Amino acid sequence: MATRIPLLQRFFYSHYFFGGLRQAVGVLLPALLLIGVFQLYSVGMITAIGAACVAIIDQPGGPRRYGTNGMLGAILLGSITAAITGLASSHSVLIWLTVPALCFVFSMFTVFGKQGGLLGFACLLIMTLTMRTPLNPHEVLLHTLYSFLGGVFYFTYSSIVHRLLWHREEQQVLSVALFATADYIAARSQFYDVDADLETSYRKLIHAQSTMTDAHQAARDTVLRELPRGHRRSDKLRAAALNVFIDMVALLDSLVATHTDYATLRRSVPDSDVLIFARDALYKLAANVSHIALNIARNRRTKERNSVKAELRAIEYELEKYRQAGLVESEPEVYALLIQVLRRIRNATRLVDRMAAHTRNADAAQLVDMRLDKALDRFLSRRAWRVGMLTSNLRLDSSHFRYATRVTIAALMAMTFTTAMSHTSLSQILPGASMHGYWIVLTILVIMKPGFALTRQRNGWRLAGTLIGCGLALVLFNVTHSPNVYLAVLVVACVLGYSLIQLNFMIAAVFNTVFVLLAFHFLSPNTSVVISERLIDTFIGCGIALLCSYILPWWEHNFMGSLANAVKKANKELLSTGLHYAALTRAQAALAASAQDTTALDAEQHEAEMHWRIARKNVYIAFSNFASAFYRMMDEPIKQQNNVPELNNLMIQYHVLASQISAAIPILASLPSVPEGIQKSLDAVGEYLDGNDASPPVSIETEGELATLAYPLRQMVKAAQLIRQEMRGVAT
């Protein structure tokens, strides 16, 4: 049996670790040079803060042009923020008003999506770290200049690294997407295990598909950002990565288009060895994809793989036994399902073998599908930033406005608490609140997110990470007093803190806490209360963040209706574009059969195929958004979990519908004509998705190849009917 790649090995070869290493070096390098060579401790810290602000935007994965524009925006807005905060820092009332105002403005940047949220947080980070020490007016200009130069240094450094290691970045992002695909294949293999619970397997599959969709989008935006245009070595490397990506997407499409009624299979052929062989074959394919992913990340060739030929031969033998036993006549649809399982596994095996071949022939310049060369840029994600997006969300029914309001109130409470503590005798009891009150604000900004569930999760993760990090720092301070050891641990903690922030927030908080404590130790070696201050600040910040998360909350169930409609709209588009593509393919085949010129129809047919592929990608994204929101809702208080049975059933039926549409369209395209019963069924699916009543035929044609179309078509009709029913329930 094939073996899977250990998670730790996957992490160290991923773009997460590479990106964390790049960010840590870019942030620490100016500080280490200024402090180590010129003994400019304060200047080194300020430039590191400016670089850290820009590094937040420089996330691994995604289109480079968005990262470049975001880093330039961070340099500009970060410098303005540093100047405003520096001017207000020496006036207690002015800083008390400035911090909440900036929190509101930059928290509203979430209207621009993930990149906007990162830019807003980067500016809030530089605001928080600038208010750490009150500045005199004549010091503000120099502070802003040092911060600006730190940001410029990181931008220049990141651009140089990208230019030198662009292919490495592509390989690592592609590797992460392949690992996610392997996890999805492994999750799908469990459906063929008769001992595995179907509901549990389905939940794991949805989670795996959501993760895979995000990884595929990151790979798509990275690999497709610059396509091969010539025959230079760089073009050949791009073509090799692009070939792997194209086959990875084809593998996904092949697997998604195989939503089988596993309960029916288990009921019809409960003791069939076909299910066991299918499970083993998919598990081996998952392991093979994992090894390809690891080899791509390591820039190595894939030589040895686990063969699934034995499983394929065994499935063919079992199907022949069923044919001889009369299953074709007694249960033609069940037999057609088993035939489809064999075909899909065989096709998946061919694609995996071809991906492995791409790693061995990296100098090949030809694309596996030359027709895609002029259309691939249409698969990139598009983002537009408009000022109107901010102003139009300045209303109480906007989730972004509510989130910004919560952050503003939390920052106001933190500033009020810090100001009060600094003027009372309680500062002697809670020294952290008076000496480093900015840490309370920073804790609030890190924890508070637009969703209640994510805020509560981060609250617990932040507390646990801080406690563990403080414990590790205490152990380190008591075990050794060597500055060299402290510096080595500081660098390692910085790298791992940046690397893990997207993978495991709690462990990232552990390393970030260790990093901050060591940094303060270098600045103030004789200060022994830093650890207790960090703990106190974190507890206060977590308490304020949790309390304010109940102010104007925007629960996930408010989004579920619109997200469900978005998935339905995406499925309707998938069906309509698929039917158009199938019709043009049939017309093209008819012209070719009659020896007529098909040149005029070729371009139209190719364009229709591209529209169908884009619609299929949009379905994956819309479904992933819907499923992620549903699971976030399940982490919220029970009284805020509305329409759970209906939404859960909708999620299942949307998955079934998209899978069966993907399975049916290629079969429809291969038919010489569409029989009447099948056409009526397709019309009924469209009517149900439009919210209308329909009358699908009681029976449809099942002769010959049409038997393979009967099952997906019936599932499409049933799923569309249930979607109409559940959508009405959600609406009421």
Side-chain angles (χ1 to χ4, degrees):
M1 179 64 69
T3 56
R4 304 297 301 283
I5 305 299
L7 291 177
L8 194 61
Q9 191 177 16
R10 290 171 54 169
F11 166 70
F12 281 114
Y13 282 105
S14 70
H15 68 289
Y16 297 112
F17 180 74
F18 179 79
L21 181 62
R22 182 183 67 234
Q23 290 171 302
V25 172
V27 171
L28 292 177
L29 191 57
L32 293 176
L33 289 175
L34 291 170
I35 294 173
V37 178
F38 302 103
Q39 305 301 312
L40 299 173
Y41 289 92
S42 60
V43 176
M45 287 294 294
I46 295 170
T47 54
I49 290 171
C53 172
V54 180
I56 291 175
I57 311 298
D58 189 23
Q59 295 293 327
R64 181 67 188 177
R65 63 182 181 279
Y66 294 138
T68 300
N69 295 337
M71 286 190 287
L72 291 174
I75 293 173
L76 176 62
L77 293 178
S79 301
I80 295 173
T81 302
I84 294 173
T85 308
L87 290 172
S89 62
S90 58
H91 304 277
S92 57
V93 176
L94 194 57
I95 193 67
W96 182 79
L97 294 173
T98 300
V99 169
L102 291 175
C103 285
F104 179 82
V105 171
F106 289 122
S107 295
M108 283 294 296
F109 275 36
T110 55
V111 301
F112 300 124
K114 179 182 177 181
Q115 198 75 6
L118 289 174
L119 177 57
F121 178 74
C123 294
L124 292 177
L125 174 66
I126 204 169
M127 173 203 74
T128 308
L129 297 178
T130 301
M131 61 181 276
R132 180 174 61 92
T133 304
L135 299 174
N136 294 321
H138 67 275
E139 297 175 321
V140 174
L141 179 60
L142 282 177
H143 185 281
T144 304
L145 178 61
Y146 295 147
S147 176
F148 173 80
L149 292 176
V152 171
F153 170 84
Y154 185 89
F155 175 80
T156 306
Y157 156 82
S158 177
S159 300
I160 293 173
V161 171
H162 167 69
R163 183 170 293 275
L164 294 176
L165 301 176
W166 62 268
H167 183 56
R168 187 73 177 151
E169 292 179 4
E170 284 190 353
Q171 287 178 312
Q172 289 170 332
V173 175
L174 188 58
S175 171
V176 170
L178 284 167
F179 275 125
T181 305
D183 293 338
Y184 176 81
I185 298 173
R188 193 171 267 281
S189 70
Q190 295 303 304
F191 284 95
Y192 294 98
D193 188 344
V194 295
D195 297 323
D197 180 67
L198 284 178
E199 286 295 326
T200 303
S201 299
Y202 192 79
R203 283 194 295 271
K204 291 180 179 178
L205 182 72
I206 296 300
H207 280 295
Q209 182 170 339
S210 180
T211 303
M212 179 182 62
T213 300
D214 294 337
H216 276 221
Q217 188 59 49
R220 185 179 290 112
D221 289 337
T222 301
V223 175
L224 303 186
R225 67 189 173 197
E226 191 169 349
L227 301 176
R229 299 301 182 193
H231 298 282
R232 297 174 300 175
R233 175 163 174 77
S234 59
D235 292 314
K236 293 178 180 180
L237 293 175
R238 287 191 174 96
L242 187 54
N243 282 336
V244 174
F245 174 79
I246 292 172
D247 283 339
M248 179 183 69
V249 173
L251 177 63
L252 167 64
D253 294 338
S254 178
L255 291 170
V256 169
T258 56
H259 184 87
T260 306
D261 191 342
Y262 301 101
T264 298
L265 280 182
R266 291 182 180 187
R267 185 171 57 251
S268 302
V269 285
D271 300 322
S272 175
D273 289 338
V274 172
L275 302 182
I276 298 175
F277 295 136
R279 179 202 63 187
D280 293 348
L282 287 176
Y283 191 84
K284 282 187 176 181
L285 287 176
N288 287 342
V289 174
S290 292
H291 281 87
I292 293 172
L294 182 63
N295 286 326
I296 287 176
R298 296 188 299 184
N299 198 25
R300 296 183 182 177
R301 298 180 178 183
T302 303
K303 297 179 181 179
E304 296 182 1
R305 299 181 309 284
N306 296 280
S307 175
V308 297
K309 289 183 178 179
E311 284 76 13
L312 290 173
R313 294 288 185 269
I315 293 175
E316 292 172 357
Y317 175 74
E318 292 295 324
L319 292 180
E320 179 61 23
K321 286 172 58 178
Y322 281 131
R323 190 185 66 79
Q324 294 177 0
L327 186 66
V328 180
E329 292 76 18
S330 60
E331 295 187 71
E333 292 184 23
V334 172
Y335 184 78
L337 279 179
L338 296 175
I339 290 292
Q340 278 190 338
V341 169
L342 174 63
R343 289 177 178 176
R344 299 298 181 183
I345 294 177
R346 187 183 290 138
N347 186 49
T349 302
R350 179 182 61 82
L351 291 170
V352 172
D353 288 342
R354 198 163 69 178
M355 282 193 290
H358 294 322
T359 67
R360 296 193 297 271
N361 302 310
D363 292 332
Q366 288 291 326
L367 296 181
V368 294
D369 191 344
M370 295 301 297
R371 299 176 306 157
L372 296 175
D373 188 31
K374 305 298 183 182
L376 285 170
D377 61 335
R378 285 188 282 178
F379 290 86
L380 292 169
S381 58
R382 309 291 180 183
R383 301 166 189 159
W385 288 36
R386 301 184 304 275
V387 177
M389 297 173 67
L390 277 175
T391 56
S392 63
N393 277 275
L394 295 176
R395 60 185 194 277
L396 196 59
D397 61 343
S398 167
S399 61
H400 305 287
F401 178 81
R402 291 187 172 216
Y403 166 64
T405 303
R406 287 195 299 274
V407 175
T408 303
I409 295 174
L412 191 61
M413 291 175 62
M415 295 299 297
T416 303
F417 178 81
T418 303
T419 304
M421 289 295 296
S422 63
H423 291 88
T424 64
S425 59
L426 288 176
S427 60
Q428 299 176 357
I429 303 175
L430 297 175
S434 60
M435 293 178 63
H436 298 292
Y438 72 93
W439 193 264
I440 300 175
V441 178
L442 181 59
T443 301
I444 290 170
L445 296 176
V446 169
I447 289 175
M448 292 197 73
K449 295 297 171 185
F452 176 87
L454 189 55
T455 298
R456 187 173 64 178
Q457 284 178 344
R458 287 207 165 196
N459 214 309
W461 293 338
R462 175 76 175 183
L463 277 173
T466 302
L467 286 171
I468 297 172
C470 288
L472 292 176
L474 273 175
V475 172
L476 181 64
F477 289 148
N478 285 283
V479 168
T480 180
H481 299 284
S482 171
N484 293 329
V485 174
Y486 291 165
L487 181 61
V489 174
L490 181 145
V491 172
V492 171
C494 184
V495 172
L496 293 178
Y498 275 115
S499 301
L500 291 165
I501 193 67
Q502 297 186 64
L503 295 175
N504 193 308
F505 184 81
M506 190 190 79
I507 300 179
V510 172
F511 289 110
N512 285 331
T513 301
V514 173
F515 168 72
V516 170
L517 294 176
L518 287 171
F520 273 100
H521 176 80
F522 279 110
L523 291 176
S524 304
N526 298 323
T527 303
S528 59
V529 295
V530 174
I531 294 178
S532 62
E533 290 171 2
R534 294 284 75 74
L535 282 173
I536 293 171
D537 294 342
T538 302
F539 273 103
I540 295 173
C542 288
I544 294 175
L546 185 61
L547 179 65
C548 291
S549 64
Y550 289 93
I551 299 175
L552 294 177
W554 187 266
W555 307 105
E556 290 293 341
H557 69 74
N558 291 307
F559 287 110
M560 297 310 299
S562 60
L563 291 174
N565 277 319
V567 186
K568 185 174 75 170
K569 181 180 178 181
N571 273 286
K572 287 170 60 178
E573 182 69 13
L574 178 66
L575 179 62
S576 62
T577 55
L579 292 176
H580 181 58
Y581 160 65
L584 289 176
T585 303
R586 288 194 300 271
Q588 186 185 44
L591 287 177
S594 59
Q596 298 185 41
D597 184 17
T598 63
T599 304
L601 196 59
D602 287 345
E604 188 178 356
Q605 189 266 350
H606 175 60
E607 185 69 15
E609 184 182 1
M610 288 301 103
H611 282 297
W612 183 52
R613 293 191 183 201
I614 294 171
R616 196 163 52 189
K617 181 205 75 169
N618 293 336
V619 166
Y620 298 155
I621 295 174
F623 180 80
S624 176
N625 293 336
F626 177 69
S628 298
F630 176 79
Y631 287 119
R632 287 196 302 269
M633 184 185 75
M634 299 305 294
D635 290 331
E636 293 179 344
I638 295 178
K639 63 180 181 180
Q640 301 298 335
Q641 298 175 12
N642 295 355
N643 303 314
V644 173
E646 292 85 355
L647 292 172
N648 184 65
N649 196 28
L650 267 178
M651 186 167 61
I652 296 173
Q653 298 309 322
Y654 278 139
H655 188 269
V656 172
L657 180 62
S659 299
Q660 300 306 343
I661 292 175
S662 299
I665 294 302
I667 302 175
L668 287 169
S670 65
L671 297 177
S673 62
V674 181
E676 181 181 0
I678 291 177
Q679 185 59 55
K680 288 183 178 179
S681 296
L682 292 170
D683 294 339
V685 172
E687 289 294 327
Y688 283 137
L689 291 178
D690 288 332
N692 303 323
D693 292 327
S695 300
V698 178
S699 61
I700 59 177
E701 298 79 1
T702 58
E703 297 82 10
E705 184 66 19
L706 294 178
T708 60
L709 187 59
Y711 174 79
L713 205 56
R714 288 197 177 97
Q715 291 295 306
M716 286 167 57
V717 173
K718 180 181 177 182
Q721 187 177 19
L722 290 174
I723 287 170
R724 185 195 62 160
Q725 175 183 326
E726 300 298 353
M727 285 297 292
R728 288 178 176 177
V730 171
T732 57

